[in-house]
Amino acid sequence: MFTGRLRSEIPPALISLGDALIAAGAQLVELDLSDNAFGPDGVRGFEALLKSPACYTLQELKLNNCGMGIGGGKILAAALKECHRKSSAQGKPLALKIFVAGRNRLENDGATALAEAFGIIGTLEEVHMPQNGINHPGITALAQAFSINPLLKVINLNDNTFTEKGAVAMAETLRALRQIEVINFGDCLVRSKGAVAIADAVKEGLHKLKELNLSFCEIKRDAALTIAEAIEDKTELEKLDLNGNCLGEEVCEQLHEILEGFNMASVLGSLSDDEGDEDDDEEEDDEEEEEEEEQQQLKERGVEEQESLTPKKIIDSQASTPVPSPPVDVATFLAFPSPEKLLRLGPKCSVLIAQQTDTSDVEKVVATLLRISSVFKDEAPVKTAVHETTDALMKKAFSSATFNSDAFITNLLVHMGLLKSEEKIKTVPSLYGILMTLNHMVQQDYFPKSLAPVLSAFVTKPNRALDSCSFARHMLLQTLHQL
């Protein structure tokens, strides 16, 4: 609906739509605004509608792939809480059943805000929040909120990052839920220990379970077999997806044998993308190293280990006092980028990063740009720091007589996964940050206008990675067309 529209045009359009529904005396049961790139500003456009009597009867809210971001997630959560408060005062509390908000870059803060709203509502039956960049603090908050929604049947958190901590928290919640039919934690990095915790929860209950997806989660041999053994008495089960894990041919055969013994061989999905058996010692070392890195990043963000929260604590939670942060240098930021590290580099961060990057090396310039853009957020301080640092780096690069701008754009497109390479290149996990950064870059005097048609051609092409960032893609294409 908003393709080709200016960002400023979107909120008034949504306000008009909402005002009309309110004036008509509508009593909405379903509101679906999915796949419209309205972004955080757009959420404010239908905020009044969500708080109005027109939504007191709302049962299904679908906002998939709308580019809401953290800010939009917080606005949405506040509106849902207000709707519940006002509808409760009328004697008919909001009884939302289905919530869909995949591909919105909600991240931890957005997910935590929505978790508070879910904890208040308490009537959810389906929650679909795949591909939102949520890590274990956000997953833990959601798990605690889900425990207060006993009617939950479907939980889809595909392509977020649980790690063991998030998986254990979610497993604890699953023990308390009796109506669960579908669990989709595919591509969520639950790893072996997290998978065992989930298997234990499945084994103890969940007799209505129809689908369990733990694909592409770095699950190893023993954990996979534990999962298979846990579903022995799940007579309703239709599908078990363990594809893309690290099992090896022998374990794949053992899985088939175990399930055949239960007369359930037909429920096991394809294992064609199995990563093969890996050395357990190496696995443990890798997990420990990643846990240490993750813990360090959380410490730097001032995030302390949370105690298990009661439902009351979720609803009444307040921000904790931030802990002192250790100093950061350019090398630390580039090794493990985060918005907080960039800000803590101080006002001279743009100069420091530009000075320490060899701009005669196209590969290094692209790598540095991708690390800077990966921390992009719509919040003003972070956005400004990303823009200023990008400007300093790229102005230095493009002004150098030895810098090959054609090689730069080719290399960048390869790392974005928009152009194939003969070599095996690791592409960036999300294009949102680089697309938003490019949207700023292409408007600057230092950016060669000859590169705009090339960039436009590749961003216009159909691509799954771009589909998950429709708002950022729309913004960049709109800017490129205006150049």
Side-chain angles (χ1 to χ4, degrees), residues 234-254:
K234 303 298 174 274
T235 56
E236 301 291 318
L237 194 70
E238 298 170 3
K239 184 178 181 182
L240 171 63
D241 193 344
L242 292 173
N243 200 15
N245 287 300
C246 309
L247 310 181
E249 188 175 339
E250 184 182 335
V251 176
C252 289
E253 290 175 3
Q254 283 181 270

Side-chain angles (χ1 to χ4, degrees), residues 100-414:
V100 180
R103 293 183 171 185
N104 272 296
R105 288 193 63 82
L106 295 169
E107 300 183 18
N108 288 333
D109 290 347
T112 301
L114 285 165
E116 291 184 20
F118 297 162
I120 292 170
I121 294 168
T123 55
L124 288 167
E125 294 180 12
E126 295 186 20
V127 176
H128 302 263
M129 294 173 67
Q131 212 170 71
N132 269 299
I134 307 169
N135 299 326
H136 77 78
I139 296 297
T140 300
L142 288 172
Q144 292 161 351
F146 292 164
S147 67
I148 320 168
N149 286 263
L151 302 178
L152 264 175
K153 296 177 182 177
V154 178
I155 302 176
N156 177 6
L157 294 174
N158 189 287
D159 199 9
N160 289 292
T161 308
F162 282 44
T163 64
E164 182 190 341
K165 292 175 185 175
V168 169
M170 196 60 71
E172 284 300 313
T173 288
L174 291 174
R175 295 175 196 274
L177 299 175
R178 299 284 176 240
Q179 306 301 319
I180 288 290
E181 295 178 4
V182 177
I183 298 170
N184 186 345
F185 297 159
D187 206 10
C188 282
L189 203 67
V190 303
R191 295 203 176 102
S192 294
K193 291 177 182 176
V196 169
I198 292 168
D200 288 344
V202 170
K203 189 172 185 176
E204 290 176 16
L206 306 188
H207 296 293
K208 296 184 179 182
L209 189 63
K210 294 180 179 179
E211 181 178 333
L212 176 59
N213 184 346
L214 291 172
S215 59
F216 299 92
C217 280
E218 293 192 6
I219 298 170
K220 305 300 188 292
R221 298 166 299 194
D222 293 343
L225 297 175
T226 302
I227 294 165
E229 290 164 357
I231 64 169
E232 179 179 2
D233 62 345
K234 303 298 174 274
T235 56
E236 301 291 318
L237 194 70
E238 298 170 3
K239 184 178 181 182
L240 171 63
D241 193 344
L242 292 173
N243 200 15
N245 287 300
C246 309
L247 310 181
E249 188 175 339
E250 184 182 335
V251 176
C252 289
E253 290 175 3
Q254 283 181 270
L255 284 175
H256 282 286
E257 289 172 7
I258 290 171
L259 294 174
E260 278 176 2
F262 301 154
N263 199 25
M264 296 175 72
S266 61
V267 307
L268 184 62
S270 169
L271 297 171
S272 59
D273 292 321
D274 184 64
E275 295 288 336
D277 195 4
E278 291 184 6
D279 185 86
D280 278 343
D281 292 335
E282 286 184 17
E283 170 206 341
E284 289 174 10
D285 291 342
D286 289 345
E287 287 190 10
E288 285 175 11
E289 285 176 16
E290 288 184 32
E291 284 290 328
E292 286 173 9
E293 287 172 11
E294 184 183 1
Q295 200 63 34
Q296 180 64 22
Q297 287 182 35
L298 289 174
K299 283 180 183 175
E300 289 168 353
R301 292 183 186 192
V303 177
E304 297 177 353
E305 288 297 313
Q306 295 181 341
E307 296 175 3
S308 180
L309 299 178
T310 61
K312 180 69 176 170
K313 284 182 182 174
I314 296 174
I315 296 165
D316 298 332
S317 62
Q318 300 292 328
S320 59
T321 306
V323 298
S325 302
V328 172
D329 57 20
V330 171
T332 303
F333 167 73
L334 293 177
F336 304 105
S338 74
E340 292 72 20
K341 288 197 193 81
L342 183 61
L343 293 177
R344 289 213 312 276
L345 280 171
K348 293 185 178 180
C349 64
S350 57
V351 178
L352 292 170
I353 290 175
Q355 283 176 346
Q356 295 185 36
T357 303
D358 180 5
T359 49
S360 65
D361 188 330
V362 167
E363 187 78 42
K364 287 182 180 176
V365 172
V366 169
T368 303
L369 175 63
L370 289 172
R371 286 183 173 92
I372 295 166
S373 64
S374 70
V375 307
F376 179 91
K377 282 188 176 182
D378 289 311
E379 297 165 9
V382 178
K383 184 195 289 188
T384 301
V386 169
H387 287 172
E388 289 178 352
T389 309
T390 299
D391 289 343
L393 173 69
M394 298 315 303
K395 189 173 183 180
K396 179 186 174 186
F398 284 125
S399 62
S400 169
T402 58
F403 188 72
N404 188 330
S405 58
D406 290 331
F408 164 77
I409 201 72
T410 301
N411 196 292
L412 180 62
L413 290 168
V414 167

Side-chain angles (χ1 to χ4, degrees), residues 1-3 5-15 17 31-47 50 61-69 72-73 75-76 100-104 378 432 470-472 474-475:
M1 185 160 61
F2 301 118
T3 301
R5 298 286 180 184
L6 295 174
R7 188 171 179 175
S8 59
E9 292 180 280
I10 298 172
L14 285 166
I15 289 168
L17 178 65
L31 177 60
D32 188 349
L33 296 172
S34 297
D35 302 305
N36 286 298
F38 50 66
D41 294 342
V43 184
R44 291 211 179 276
F46 61 89
E47 181 182 15
L50 283 177
L61 179 57
K62 300 176 180 178
L63 301 168
N64 201 57
N65 193 29
C66 294
M68 289 193 292
I75 297 166
L76 176 61
V100 180
R103 293 183 171 185
N104 272 296
D378 289 311
Y432 181 80
S470 59
F471 174 72
H474 164 73
M475 293 288 291

